[in-house]
Amino acid sequence: MYETSATVVGTVITNPVKRQTTNGEEVLSFRMASNARRKDAVTGEWTDGATLYLTVTCWRRLVTGVGASIMKGDPVMATGELRTNEYTTKEGIARSDLEMRATAVGPDLARCIAKIERHSKPVSGDEPTETETAAA
């Protein structure tokens, strides 16, 4: 299968759900929607274009950060590999779903303000100097 890398800017439309695979690995997923908005030059009104819906799956270290930070309604940017999943519903209807296996997820800072909480200690040389500490 050929996978395409992409970055999608949009809004989280479901709360993230964490689950475990059969081998015990955690995975977190959520749905997001992205649509283009254009300003009509004649009327000056904004109109929505078509909406792209996709499922974003997060693995390994991304599970913790996204699970603690992202919720339904948040403006986000997600980067990762796109693939199409084809399946049949219980009613026998063939469907397909666009999925992104995320490599990075974060807030869209054009539409929100985020406070970053760092979990690691500063790297040697990154610690504030006495002058910087006194100024604070």
Side-chain angles (χ1 to χ4, degrees), residues 2-130:
Y2 294 99
E3 296 169 351
T4 304
S5 293
T7 298
V8 178
V9 177
T11 304
V12 178
I13 59 172
T14 63
N15 280 317
V17 175
K18 189 187 318 183
R19 62 181 174 80
Q20 285 192 344
T21 64
T22 54
N23 65 358
E25 190 173 10
E26 287 187 326
V27 60
L28 181 136
S29 62
F30 62 90
R31 299 270 297 156
M32 71 179 286
S34 177
N35 67 313
R37 289 183 51 85
R38 292 183 173 77
K39 190 172 186 178
D40 186 307
V42 176
T43 66
E45 294 182 15
W46 286 94
T47 58
D48 289 335
T51 303
L52 170 72
Y53 295 98
L54 71 151
T55 300
V56 179
T57 57
C58 304
W59 298 83
R60 293 178 273 294
R61 293 186 314 174
L62 205 49
V63 170
T64 302
V66 172
S69 306
I70 302 297
M71 58 191 281
K72 183 178 178 178
D74 287 346
V76 295
M77 297 173 63
T79 299
E81 303 288 327
L82 293 176
R83 60 180 64 145
T84 302
N85 292 324
E86 296 178 2
Y87 61 96
T88 304
T89 65
K90 293 176 188 174
E91 296 80 25
I93 301 168
R95 301 261 176 149
S96 64
D97 179 37
L98 184 61
E99 177 187 353
M100 173 185 282
R101 186 173 181 148
T103 54
V105 175
D108 176 1
L109 297 179
R111 298 186 291 146
C112 71
I113 296 172
K115 182 178 188 279
I116 298 173
E117 181 179 321
R118 291 173 179 80
H119 292 282
S120 60
K121 294 180 181 179
V123 177
S124 180
D126 287 347
E127 296 154 14
T129 64
E130 288 181 32

